[in-house]
Amino acid sequence: MTEPHPTNTGLFEAARRVIPGGVNSPVRAFGSVGGTPYFVESASGPYVTDAEGQQYIDFVQSYGAIILGHAHPAVTEAVVSAAADGTSYGAPTAREVALAERIACAAPGVSQVRLTSSGTEATMTAVRLARGFTGRPRIVKFAGCYHGHADSLLAAGGSGVATLGLSGSAGVPPSAVADTVVAPYNVVPELDDRIAAVVVEPVAANMGLVPPVPGFLEGLRQACDEVGALLIFDEVITGFRLGLGGAAERYGVTADISCFGKVIGGGLPIGALGARTEIMETLAPTGPVYQAGTLSGNPLATAAGLAALDQLTPEAYAQLEARAGQFADGMRGVLAGAGFDANVCQVGTLVGLYCGAGPASGWVPADYDDARTTDEQAYARLHAGLLSGGVAFAPGAYEAIFVSLAHTPEVIDQALALMADAADAAAAAAGL
Ligand SMILES: *Cc1c(COP(=O)(O)O)cnc(C)c1O
C-alpha cells in the first residue's frame, strides 16, 4: 500500500518487513553510519531527491554505474525508445554486437566480449573461464578487493602472507574457497603451476581508494606469464571510468581477461567480460566452459550503455578528471580547515577518502590492513553532517566517491561549502 505522503522512516519500516534489512544490497544499509536510508523518488544530473522532497548533491551515483549524471536525456531517450520495441527477446540483437565492438575497440587485450547482467556474473564467469582454459584449479585474489558476491571470490581472508582463503560469508562452505588464495594488495605473490588466474582490481576502489604501487601490476603480469596463469583485471569500476581504456590503458598493463559492469550499462543491469579470441572461444557454445543468461545483452541495457558511451569522449574524461581534482583538492582544504583528520586520494576520475591522519599528510593506504585503520566513527559523523546539509555520500567508509559529468564546478563548490559545515560539526562532536 502506498501512503499519500511517505516518509523515509515510514518507507524503511515497510521495507524492513518485506526485505531483509530493508535493502536489496547491504551497502545501501545505514548500519555503519547510523540513521535511516533516504528513499529516492527521482534523480537528475548531480542530484537525487528523496521521498520527503529533500534534495542531495549525490556522490554515490549508483556506486559508479552513473557517469553522465542521473537521467541524462540521451540515456533516457535511448531506453524509452528501446522499450517501445520490446524489453527482451531470447534472440540476438544488433545492439549487443555494437556494444561488444565498442568494448573490444576500447579495452586493451579484448577482441571478443560476452555480455552478462551484472558485474558479479562477469567475474564469476572469468574465473570459470580461466580454470577451464588453463585446466588448473586455483585462483589468487587480494584482500580488500571486491569482485561481486560469487562464492569463490567472497573470501577476504588473511593478511600478511598469502594464505589459503577462509570463507568471507556464512553459507560459503570451505570447499568453495579451498582453491582461493588471498594475498595482500600491492605485493606480487609467489605463484606456481596450480594457479589458473590472479584476479585483481587494478585500482582498488572497494576499500576506499587504493592505487597500485609502481611495479605492482607489471609484477603481476610477469609473475602470471612465468607460470602460465591468466591475469584477470576486474575493471567493473575502473573500466570506462578512468578513461576509454580503463586502468589497463592508464597503467600500460594488459590483462588476459577483463571484466566490466557499472558504466557500460548507463545505469541499467549489465556486466561483461572480454579477452583474446582463443580464450573467449573456450566459452559455450564454441567451447566447453558453460555460461548463459536469459537477460544477457538486454535490449534496454545495451541501449543505455551505448548512449552513455557515445558521450564519453577523451574531452569528457579530461573534464571529469578536472572535476574530480577540484573536489579532491577542495575536500583536502575544507577538511584540514575544520581540523578534521583525513586524507583524500585521487586516481584520475576517482576520489577516495580516508578518515584519520595516517602516518603523514597525503598518505594513502597500500592494502586492506592499512585501509581498515580508517576511523569509521569519524566517517559516520561526517556522513551524517553531509546528509543533513544536502550532500549524499555512501553510507560506508570503504566506498569510492563518484563525481559525474553533471557535477559542474558550481555544484562542486556548493558541496564543498556544505562539507565545511559538516566537517566543523564532526570535528566539534569528536572533541566532546
Ligand atoms: C560492483 C563491483 C562488482 C560487482 O558488480 P555487480 O554489478 O554489483 O554484481 C565487481 N567488481 C567490482 C570491482 C565492483 O566494484
Side-chain angles (χ1 to χ4, degrees):
M1 258 185 288
T2 335
E3 296 168 32
H5 296 292
T7 60
N8 290 320
T9 4
L11 285 166
F12 190 51
E13 274 167 25
R16 275 198 301 186
R17 281 195 285 276
V18 286
I19 299 171
V23 290
N24 279 314
S25 190
V27 294
R28 299 176 200 166
F30 272 45
S32 69
V33 291
T36 306
Y38 53 91
F39 277 64
V40 177
E41 180 113 344
S42 66
S44 176
Y47 305 110
V48 293
T49 302
D50 73 12
E52 299 173 9
Q54 166 81 43
Q55 191 182 71
Y56 308 90
I57 302 174
D58 180 33
F59 292 95
V60 182
Q61 297 287 319
S62 191
Y63 291 91
I66 305 293
I67 192 168
L68 306 179
H70 295 292
H72 189 284
V75 174
T76 306
E77 279 160 29
V79 172
V80 168
S81 146
D85 291 331
T87 52
S88 189
Y89 315 117
T93 63
R95 277 200 295 273
E96 292 166 74
V97 185
L99 186 56
E101 282 173 351
R102 238 7 132 70
I103 296 170
C105 188
V110 172
S111 41
Q112 287 198 343
V113 175
R114 172 66 51 89
L115 297 175
T116 63
S117 295
S118 67
T120 295
E121 286 171 76
T123 54
M124 183 183 78
T125 303
V127 166
R128 187 182 303 147
L129 176 58
R131 285 173 164 159
F133 182 78
T134 60
R136 299 174 180 185
R138 278 198 181 170
I139 54 169
V140 175
K141 80 166 290 279
F142 297 93
C145 283
Y146 179 67
H147 304 294
H149 58 94
D151 281 358
S152 68
L153 290 169
L154 265 182
S159 53
V161 269
T163 45
L164 277 184
L166 297 175
S167 158
S169 162
V172 178
S175 59
V177 288
D179 284 312
T180 302
V181 180
V182 181
Y185 195 75
N186 268 328
V187 178
V188 178
E190 278 208 27
L191 305 180
D192 59 42
D193 62 10
R194 290 169 299 178
I195 307 288
V198 173
V199 54
V200 67
E201 283 184 81
V203 176
N206 283 288
M207 48 171 158
L209 188 64
V210 179
V213 297
F216 177 55
L217 299 176
E218 295 84 346
L220 292 181
R221 179 68 275 172
Q222 196 184 337
C224 284
D225 289 343
E226 278 165 10
V227 298
L230 300 185
L231 179 59
I232 302 175
F233 275 180
D234 179 350
E235 298 230 38
V236 171
I237 284 187
T238 51
F240 296 89
R241 163 75 53 182
L242 289 180
L244 285 173
E249 185 175 68
R250 186 178 182 91
Y251 293 96
V253 177
T254 302
D256 297 295
I257 305 177
S258 302
C259 301
F260 304 94
K262 299 197 167 109
V263 168
I264 62 160
L268 273 82
I270 207 160
L273 65 150
R276 56 185 184 269
T277 304
E278 179 198 13
I279 296 175
M280 289 305 285
E281 289 198 336
T282 309
L283 283 175
T286 38
V289 176
Y290 196 70
Q291 187 275 341
T294 302
L295 298 177
S296 293
N298 176 264
L300 303 196
T302 50
L306 285 166
L309 296 190
D310 274 343
Q311 308 288 319
L312 294 173
T313 58
E315 297 73 44
Y317 285 110
Q319 193 176 63
L320 190 60
E321 188 160 338
R323 306 279 172 79
Q326 182 195 348
F327 195 48
D329 291 344
M331 278 170 69
R332 283 185 197 105
V334 154
L335 296 173
F340 182 95
D341 276 340
N343 281 313
V344 178
C345 171
Q346 184 194 354
V347 178
T349 57
L350 281 167
V351 179
L353 173 66
Y354 171 91
C355 290
S361 143
W363 176 81
V364 292
D367 61 20
Y368 196 34
D369 283 345
D370 282 353
R372 274 185 301 185
T373 62
T374 195
D375 185 341
E376 294 185 32
Q377 270 153 24
Y379 182 81
R381 286 189 291 271
L382 183 67
H383 177 271
L386 286 170
L387 204 63
S388 63
V391 177
F393 266 37
Y398 299 100
E399 308 298 337
I401 295 163
F402 293 100
V403 177
S404 83
L405 281 163
H407 290 76
T408 61
E410 295 71 31
V411 169
I412 289 173
D413 280 341
Q414 203 186 344
L416 288 168
L418 293 165
M419 179 174 283
D421 299 340
D424 278 337
L432 289 179

